[in-house]
Amino acid sequence: MDKDDFKLLNDVFERFKQDQANYQLRKAKKLWQSISFPIAFSEILERLTKDELTRICRHYELKNLSALKKQDLITELVKILPQKVQNEMMSLDENRYIFLRNFIMNDEPTVINAEEFEIEEVEYWQTTGLIFSGSWKDTKILLMPAEIFNAFKALDQKMFQEIIQRNTEWISLTQGMLYYYGVLSFHQILNQIENLTGVEPDYLELHEVLLRAKDYYELLQIDQYGTWAYCEVEDIDKIKQEHQARPDVDYYKFGKSKLLSAGQLDYRDENLAFRHFTEFLLNAYEMTEDDAKDITEECQRIINLDLRVHGVIEFLQTQLEFPSFETVQELTEHVVDLSNNTRQWILKGHTPDELFAVEKEFLKPLPSSPYQAPNPLAPPFALPLEGYKGMPKTETKSNIIDMKTRKKVGRNDPCPCGSGKKFKHCCGKDQ
């Protein structure tokens, strides 16, 4: 890339960053409008746009209300939303219930400091019509309208404890299943939960709970045909076809505790192969353990998405300096071992090594001849840098470049768009 092309690309990226920053500022300004007390429920809703009010209607599947004029819609929502509190409680898990409990601990409606909340989380709660945002005495706050507060207080909190625990289990099990299997039909999810818990879930209740969890945690997705998938699956149809192509291979049977763990945010499958690859990176490079784990996790992700050892090598070329051809060979052997021992979506949660006896064609064997990379000392490879102790020091980066610093952005780095979120949860979500 010559200087003119780089300057043009840099200008485009800077405009994109500025547009994103301006968009975030506009959203923040809207969310944190100054608020005064006392304030009526209708006045809180008046602060929202018609589109935001319509999103509340969609959340509760309220028919024929979005066509109303704004003032008429507000009047209807003031009457309807308190009646929806019990229904919303039926879909809550423990995290969201604890959050809402902060507002009803006292005898009067309570506001909480919202300085540490991400915009997306605030927007989620606003869409439920239960919690709203504002700025009071130069402090960002969240508040629950008195009508919603009274509706919560009238409920028997103990009665919902079992339901909330049940929902928490349903959500974690489903997120754990899809972390390992990639995609499942809703019927498969229902059957798996029944097998794991010993209780058949109500079809409609489970579906509602998972839809709410999808919007809040963003670990699940659902396509137009009702197929559920893990958030990082890019081609749902492809994984479905791979599953259907293996009718004689059962889904790997995970224990309940394993799936509950896999269903948590930022879970990593740190199996033996993961640890071996991480140790190899730590021994060969001067890097932190977190950096080594980030690289290994990204390799696992590429294995599931790309299914080619070469795809992982190409990623590692953007992360590591390869000082010799022998280094490439050694690294390739470690990558192949990681690939053969990674639980893969297309293999229904099995590793290639586990299916070797019955499906040899799905094993990723070591190359019969040495991995043929370009001249190991030519670009994109480079000579050893300072800190090299087998391989040089590196940082965990992605293929996205911050045009200001000209450095690649890691999936766990702050997003360069300025949102304040991790790159993998923002602009890098679809990478």
Side-chain angles (χ1 to χ4, degrees):
M1 181 185 299
D2 60 31
K3 290 182 178 179
D4 290 340
D5 288 339
F6 187 87
K7 184 178 183 306
L8 178 61
L9 184 59
N10 184 58
D11 290 343
V12 170
F13 189 75
E14 286 298 324
R15 286 197 297 271
F16 169 75
K17 285 175 62 177
Q18 189 60 52
D19 289 344
Q20 286 292 101
N22 291 338
Y23 174 67
Q24 293 294 329
L25 285 173
R26 288 195 299 271
K27 282 210 300 185
K29 184 177 180 180
K30 184 75 173 60
L31 283 174
W32 309 118
Q33 297 176 73
S34 179
I35 194 169
S36 58
F37 295 98
I39 184 169
F41 195 5
S42 59
E43 293 176 299
I44 294 173
L45 295 176
E46 179 66 40
R47 293 156 57 90
L48 304 183
T49 64
K50 179 67 182 300
D51 285 344
E52 290 168 334
L53 295 172
T54 301
R55 282 198 288 272
I56 295 175
C57 294
R58 285 201 296 267
H59 182 81
Y60 293 106
E61 298 183 354
L62 301 176
K63 307 296 184 182
N64 305 319
L65 290 185
S66 57
L68 297 175
K69 293 181 179 179
K70 182 177 178 179
Q71 285 305 131
D72 294 334
L73 178 55
I74 289 172
T75 300
E76 291 300 314
L77 288 176
V78 167
K79 292 185 294 186
I80 293 173
L81 290 178
Q83 301 170 17
K84 295 296 181 180
V85 167
Q86 182 167 332
N87 289 342
E88 193 67 12
M89 281 281 285
M90 294 291 292
S91 68
L92 292 178
D93 65 340
E94 190 171 3
N95 286 338
R96 284 172 288 164
Y97 177 70
I98 290 174
F99 171 80
L100 289 176
R101 285 280 296 171
N102 291 325
F103 295 89
I104 57 175
M105 296 291 288
N106 303 315
D107 294 331
E108 297 292 335
T110 302
V111 300
I112 66 172
N113 188 303
E115 295 290 343
E116 301 300 321
F117 284 83
E118 292 185 354
I119 288 177
E120 288 73 18
E121 188 173 4
V122 176
E123 289 179 323
Y124 168 85
W125 284 111
Q126 193 161 271
T127 299
T128 68
L130 306 180
I131 305 297
F132 299 89
S133 62
S135 180
W136 182 55
K137 295 183 178 180
D138 297 324
T139 301
K140 296 174 183 176
I141 63 167
L142 296 177
L143 69 149
M144 178 183 284
E147 289 84 347
I148 302 297
F149 172 87
N150 292 332
F152 264 111
K153 279 289 193 180
L155 297 176
D156 183 348
Q157 304 295 322
K158 292 183 179 179
M159 183 185 75
F160 285 98
Q161 291 303 314
E162 289 187 6
I163 294 172
I164 289 166
Q165 291 174 7
R166 178 205 69 182
N167 294 348
T168 303
E169 189 171 73
W170 283 356
I171 292 166
S172 294
L173 288 174
T174 302
Q175 291 177 166
M177 283 184 254
L178 291 171
Y179 176 89
Y180 282 116
Y181 300 143
V183 305
L184 289 171
S185 69
F186 185 75
H187 184 70
Q188 287 174 312
I189 292 172
L190 190 148
N191 286 342
Q192 288 262 22
I193 290 177
E194 181 180 1
N195 292 335
L196 290 164
T197 64
V199 179
E200 181 182 4
D202 179 90
Y203 187 97
L204 294 178
E205 287 183 357
L206 176 61
H207 197 265
E208 187 70 13
V209 167
L210 295 184
L211 283 177
R212 295 285 193 265
K214 174 184 72 70
D215 293 339
Y216 185 73
Y217 292 109
E218 298 184 335
L219 289 180
L220 306 177
Q221 56 177 313
I222 183 172
D223 70 5
Q224 58 184 329
Y225 305 108
T227 302
W228 288 80
Y230 191 62
C231 60
E232 293 190 342
V233 172
E234 295 178 354
D235 191 337
I236 293 177
D237 287 339
K238 175 184 175 181
I239 306 301
K240 285 169 61 177
Q241 290 167 7
E242 294 285 356
H243 286 187
Q244 292 165 3
R246 296 171 175 80
D248 297 329
V249 177
D250 292 330
Y251 288 86
Y252 184 86
K253 288 182 172 54
F254 293 98
K256 182 179 177 181
S257 61
K258 181 69 171 178
L259 292 179
L260 289 173
S261 296
Q264 304 307 305
L265 292 170
D266 295 326
Y267 171 79
R268 283 170 166 157
D269 186 15
E270 297 188 20
N271 55 27
L272 186 61
F274 184 103
R275 294 194 295 272
H276 284 169
F277 195 81
T278 300
E279 289 168 5
F280 164 72
L281 293 176
L282 288 172
N283 291 332
Y285 286 81
E286 288 185 0
M287 65 171 69
T288 67
E289 184 175 355
D290 283 343
D291 282 346
K293 287 183 176 181
D294 283 345
I295 289 178
T296 307
E297 181 184 26
E298 184 65 11
C299 290
Q300 285 183 324
R301 175 176 175 269
I302 293 170
I303 288 166
N304 259 319
L305 290 173
D306 190 72
L307 305 178
R308 295 179 304 121
V309 169
H310 186 68
V312 180
I313 297 296
E314 288 175 344
F315 161 70
L316 291 173
Q317 288 177 13
T318 71
Q319 311 300 301
L320 311 173
E321 303 281 357
F322 298 162
S324 67
F325 184 73
E326 288 72 23
T327 297
V328 178
Q329 289 181 292
E330 183 182 7
L331 182 64
T332 301
E333 291 179 3
H334 283 283
V335 169
V336 171
D337 182 62
L338 180 67
S339 178
N340 285 337
N341 290 280
T342 293
R343 300 201 173 279
Q344 298 184 10
W345 296 332
I346 67 164
L347 300 183
K348 300 180 178 179
H350 293 272
T351 70
D353 271 1
E354 288 171 344
L355 293 184
F356 179 57
V358 291
E359 290 194 345
K360 291 184 179 180
E361 65 272 29
F362 299 120
L363 183 70
K364 306 293 189 301
L366 291 172
S368 57
S369 58
Y371 175 74
Q372 298 299 314
N375 181 351
L377 298 182
F381 306 111
L383 292 172
L385 300 177
E386 184 180 355
Y388 174 69
K389 56 168 191 173
M391 290 188 227
K393 186 176 181 181
T394 186
E395 295 181 358
T396 304
K397 304 294 178 185
S398 72
N399 290 323
I400 300 299
I401 298 175
D402 186 326
M403 301 305 291
K404 187 173 183 180
T405 64
R406 299 193 182 186
K407 293 181 180 179
K408 291 185 173 64
V409 180
R411 281 170 54 75
N412 289 299
D413 291 342
C415 189
C417 76
S419 67
K421 301 176 70 176
K422 286 184 179 181
F423 175 69
K424 67 181 180 183
H425 293 314
C426 191
C427 296
K429 204 170 185 181
D430 298 324
Q431 186 184 332

